[in-house]
């Protein structure tokens, strides 16, 4: 997994053009194809029963190529989490995104000799300075990248809410920036200009309804993103 990410980063650096792009919350073949056509580097598929973007039928994922495929999970021991883990072990997915794990869950993950070898990265929600304790813990475990997302109530991701800019700046001082939360066609160019993220992750900002992407918004998103390269 990390070799694929390194290769994609190398390609981006050669072109000196913008961040890697992950389009998350993909639930169907048509949305996946459109995202790949427009230039997505990674696709995220949510395996969480309580999410409106939960993948009901993951059969189409195996036929997608040219991108890194990520299974997003919030619980390892749920049926959905086990399904995503199985897809990684079978090579259908490239890695897991472990989203919103608590310090206790993180310690349990790394205590499991088999689990910690599964290709993965963590995504953590930032709403205050206190949330950096989890990021510091992950760095102690040697995690090379951590995706940061916004927090909104009890929602773990896909909230359409942006992380306060001060917290983003603090994150930049600690690690390479993988950024999610409230990214859309209207702000992606300015966000990239201001923070120069290594990776951006968009989901709800590209939807026409929850779980269904808009082809128009996906196209516009990449058009605006490419303006940062001009």
């Amino acid at each position: 997994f990390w070799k694929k990410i390194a290769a994609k980063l190398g390609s981006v650096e050669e072109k000196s053009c913008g961040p890697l792009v992950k389009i998350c919350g993909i639930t169907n073949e048509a949305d996946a194809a459109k995202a790949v056509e427009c230039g997505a580097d990674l696709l995220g598929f949510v395996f969480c029963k309580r999410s409106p973007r939960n993948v009901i039928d993951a059969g189409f994922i195996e036929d997608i190529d040219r991108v890194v495929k990520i299974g997003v999970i919030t619980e390892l021991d749920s049926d959905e989490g086990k399904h995503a883990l199985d897809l990684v072990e079978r090579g259908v997915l490239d890695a897991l995104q472990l989203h919103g794990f608590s310090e206790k869950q993180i310690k349990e993950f790394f205590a499991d000799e088999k689990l910690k070898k599964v290709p993965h990265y963590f995504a953590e929600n930032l709403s205050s300075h206190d949330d950096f304790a989890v990021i510091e813990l992950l760095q102690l475990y040697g995690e090379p990248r951590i995706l940061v997302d916004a927090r909104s109530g009890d929602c773990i991701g896909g909230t359409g809410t942006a992380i306060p800019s001060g917290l983003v700046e603090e994150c930049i001082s600690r690690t390479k920036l993988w950024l999610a939360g409230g990214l859309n066609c209207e702000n992606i160019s300015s966000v990239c200009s201001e923070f120069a993220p290594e990776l951006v992750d968009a989901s709800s900002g590209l939807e026409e309804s929850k779980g269904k992407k808009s082809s128009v918004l996906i196209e516009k998103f990449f058009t605006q993103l490419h303006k940062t390269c001009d």
Side-chain angles (χ1 to χ4, degrees), residues 46-65:
V46 176
F47 292 80
C48 176
K49 189 174 183 179
R50 57 193 173 96
S51 170
R53 302 170 186 91
N54 182 39
V55 178
I56 305 299
D57 181 1
F60 71 96
I61 298 175
E62 191 162 4
D63 296 326
I64 301 170
D65 55 17

Side-chain angles (χ1 to χ4, degrees), residues 148-150 158-163 179-184 187 191 201-204:
V148 290
D149 198 355
T159 65
T161 303
I163 301 172
L179 181 65
L183 300 178
N184 55 48
N187 64 19
V191 166
D201 184 328
S203 180
S204 61

Side-chain angles (χ1 to χ4, degrees), residues 135-153:
I135 290 176
E136 290 170 357
L137 175 62
L138 289 169
Q139 290 177 318
L140 285 174
Y141 279 114
E143 290 295 292
R145 297 291 188 274
I146 301 158
L147 177 68
V148 290
D149 198 355
R151 185 187 304 279
S152 180

Side-chain angles (χ1 to χ4, degrees), residues 64-78:
I64 301 170
D65 55 17
R66 294 162 45 199
V67 292
V68 178
K69 295 178 285 188
I70 306 297
V72 179
I73 67 172
T74 59
E75 298 174 287
L76 281 165
D77 57 356
S78 67

